[in-house]
């Protein structure tokens, strides 16, 4: 036995004292386990290729096991397990292996997620295991941008004209975002979302994101006057929503090209803030969390309450843009 199997959950062989219980991993093998040791630690120590995408932190569900015998010999679900059960409505005999220990006697269980195609990526011998590739929790500022009523414009113009307009806008906006430390993660038809990573200073990242949003709207105004109005007889309006929070960021390789992904509830909230621009008749909406991190010189004295899907009750948001219909 070596320390290789413990690397992702921060264990070393020296941590273990004598084994006291037996756990039968159905379809794998019988493993000895020390009181207080998690099921995941024991299975990895025995060389079982047990999926554990978040590294045993109780922040995914990939290590889950189905308890076949000996339910009462296990530790009670801790808060992390209770939260997961609530979110995913798991039955009581499904447990997170990284959060569950054996208190007495023997236990029989079965790993649930055990598709061979997962193994090479996460836990195999040549596993790709950098945090960026597997996914890591990071604090980020999320900016969602969307063009208002673009269907009307696209239906009235040639497809090549429409593509030209989108290309022109997004390349200009990308330059603005990058000059403020932002990066577009995904294009979504007539919109996109970008992230600003909080390296060490969350205030700076928030300020950069809000400043980028303001600069994008300012640039859009000038392009409307100098380009879209004279050449396309159209004024383009847009909505921007910004929120900050902890997300999971990582990479997915498709067709040998690495794509970055950013996921988590702050992403959904930023998207819904952008959606709320229409309801609140204002082109730029930021969450209270974002507003709290702004310097006084950038704060707004215009706020409103709005109901965001997935968030209980109305939340206070701040209006940073201009009305669509003054
Ligand atoms: S490894 Fe992620 S919850 Fe157990």
């Amino acid at each position: 036995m070596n320390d290789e199997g413990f690397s992702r959950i921060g264990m070393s062989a020296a941590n273990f004292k004598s084994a006291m219980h037996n756990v039968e991993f159905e379809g794998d093998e019988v493993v000895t386990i020390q009181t207080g040791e998690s099921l995941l630690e024991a299975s990895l120590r025995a060389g079982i290729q047990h999926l554990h995408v978040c590294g045993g932190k109780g922040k995914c569900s990939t290590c889950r096991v189905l308890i076949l015998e000996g339910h009462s010999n296990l530790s009670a679900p801790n808060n992390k397990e209770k939260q997961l059960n609530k979110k995913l409505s798991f039955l009581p005999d499904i447990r997170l292996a990284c959060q569950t220990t054996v208190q007495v006697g023997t236990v029989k269980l079965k790993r649930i997620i055990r598709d061979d195609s997962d193994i090479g990526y996460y836990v195999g011998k040549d596993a790709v295991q950098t945090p960026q590739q597997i996914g890591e929790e990071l604090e980020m500022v999320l900016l969602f941008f969307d063009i208002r009523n673009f269907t009307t414009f696209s239906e009235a113009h040639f497809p090549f004209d429409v593509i030209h307009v989108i290309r022109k806008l997004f390349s200009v906006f990308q330059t603005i975002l990058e000059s403020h430390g932002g990066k577009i993660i995904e294009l979504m038809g007539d919109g996109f979302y970008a992230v600003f990573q909080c390296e060490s200073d969350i205030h700076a990242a928030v300020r950069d994101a809000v400043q980028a949003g303001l600069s994008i709207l300012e640039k859009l105004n000038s392009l409307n006057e100098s380009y879209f109005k004279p050449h396309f007889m159209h004024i383009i309006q847009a909505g921007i929503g910004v929120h900050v929070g902890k997300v999971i960021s990582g990479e997915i390789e498709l067709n040998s090209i690495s794509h970055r992904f950013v996921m988590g509830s702050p992403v959904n909230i930023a998207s819904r803030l952008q959606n709320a621009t229409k309801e609140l008749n204002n082109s730029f909406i930021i969450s209270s969390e974002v507003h709290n991190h702004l310097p006084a010189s950038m704060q707004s004295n215009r706020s409103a309450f709005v109901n965001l899907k997935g968030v209980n009750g109305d939340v206070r948001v701040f209006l940073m843009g201009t009305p669509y219909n003054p």
Side-chain angles (χ1 to χ4, degrees):
M1 181 175 68
N2 58 38
D3 276 359
E4 194 177 325
F6 303 99
S7 57
R8 296 211 56 234
I9 54 174
M11 299 296 298
S12 74
N15 291 118
F16 290 96
K17 301 173 199 148
S18 60
M20 294 177 64
H21 315 288
N22 281 342
V23 178
E24 181 181 345
F25 283 78
E26 192 184 78
D28 292 310
E29 58 186 280
V30 177
V31 173
T32 51
I33 184 169
Q34 154 103 16
T35 304
E37 184 183 13
S38 77
L39 296 171
L40 178 65
E41 288 165 349
S43 66
L44 292 179
R45 178 165 49 84
I48 295 174
Q49 295 189 320
H50 198 148
L51 204 57
H52 56 292
V53 173
C54 75
K57 296 192 182 83
K59 293 187 172 181
C60 69
S61 69
T62 56
C63 68
R64 75 184 97 134
V65 290
L66 174 66
I67 308 301
L68 302 170
E69 292 171 18
H71 300 70
S72 58
N73 296 341
L74 298 170
S75 58
N78 61 17
N79 282 341
K80 287 179 177 170
E81 273 202 282
K82 283 181 187 161
Q83 276 174 14
L84 186 91
N85 288 346
K86 200 168 153 195
K87 194 177 175 85
L88 301 179
S89 305
F90 283 156
L91 295 170
D93 50 3
I94 293 180
R95 301 292 305 271
L96 287 182
C98 68
Q99 303 299 312
T100 307
T101 60
V102 179
Q103 308 293 342
V104 291
T106 60
V107 176
K108 184 175 177 184
L109 49 77
K110 182 159 115 179
R111 286 186 294 132
I112 295 178
I113 302 182
R114 45 188 305 159
D115 189 312
D116 284 349
S117 64
D118 292 331
I119 298 304
Y121 196 84
Y122 292 109
V123 294
K125 206 162 186 287
D126 302 319
V128 182
Q129 292 192 339
T130 67
Q132 291 80 10
Q133 286 165 316
I134 290 168
E136 57 185 336
E137 191 172 61
L138 296 171
E139 185 133 49
M140 285 187 171
V141 188
L142 300 318
L143 182 152
F144 272 75
F145 171 94
D146 190 65
I147 298 177
R148 283 283 92 86
N149 304 320
F150 199 63
T151 310
T152 315
F153 176 83
S154 57
E155 284 174 357
H157 291 81
F158 293 114
F160 276 111
D161 285 353
V162 175
I163 290 168
H164 166 71
V165 166
I166 289 280
R167 187 179 286 132
K168 183 174 185 69
L169 283 174
F170 286 7
S171 73
V172 169
F173 296 161
Q174 176 169 265
T175 304
I176 292 173
L177 288 164
E178 285 177 357
S179 71
H180 289 85
K183 182 174 170 37
I184 292 179
I185 293 293
E186 190 177 346
L187 296 178
M188 304 166 296
D190 54 0
F192 61 76
Y193 87 92
V195 299
F196 298 74
Q197 196 160 326
C198 306
E199 299 286 359
S200 56
D201 184 354
I202 187 172
H203 299 283
V206 164
R207 189 186 59 228
D208 285 344
V210 172
Q211 191 56 60
L214 292 170
S215 298
I216 284 173
L217 292 175
E218 195 179 326
K219 186 70 186 175
L220 184 59
N221 279 343
S222 77
L223 281 172
N224 273 329
E225 293 306 318
S226 66
Y227 196 85
F228 297 121
K229 230 157 59 169
H231 299 317
F232 293 94
M233 287 128 323
H234 190 84
I235 291 178
I236 293 178
Q237 293 182 313
I240 295 177
V242 175
H243 185 51
V244 61
K246 284 195 174 153
V247 295
I248 304 299
S249 171
E251 291 167 13
I252 296 176
E253 195 170 301
L254 298 171
N255 295 328
S256 302
I257 297 170
S258 185
H259 300 266
R260 185 153 188 203
F261 66 82
V262 176
M263 290 179 184
S265 107
V267 178
N268 302 335
I269 290 175
S271 166
R272 286 161 194 160
L273 286 170
Q274 186 286 120
N275 282 334
T277 54
K278 206 169 188 176
E279 175 187 339
L280 297 176
N281 188 31
N282 192 279
S283 57
F284 191 1
I285 294 181
I286 63 174
S287 64
S288 294
E289 290 84 347
V290 167
H291 194 257
N292 290 342
H293 286 299
L294 286 178
S297 59
M298 288 181 73
Q299 290 187 339
S300 169
N301 55 10
R302 295 167 296 150
S303 69
F305 285 86
V306 67
N307 189 271
L308 301 177
K309 191 177 157 208
V311 179
N312 285 337
D314 288 350
V315 294
R316 190 177 187 197
V317 297
F318 288 82
L319 315 180
M320 306 297 288
T322 52
Y324 298 116
N325 308 303

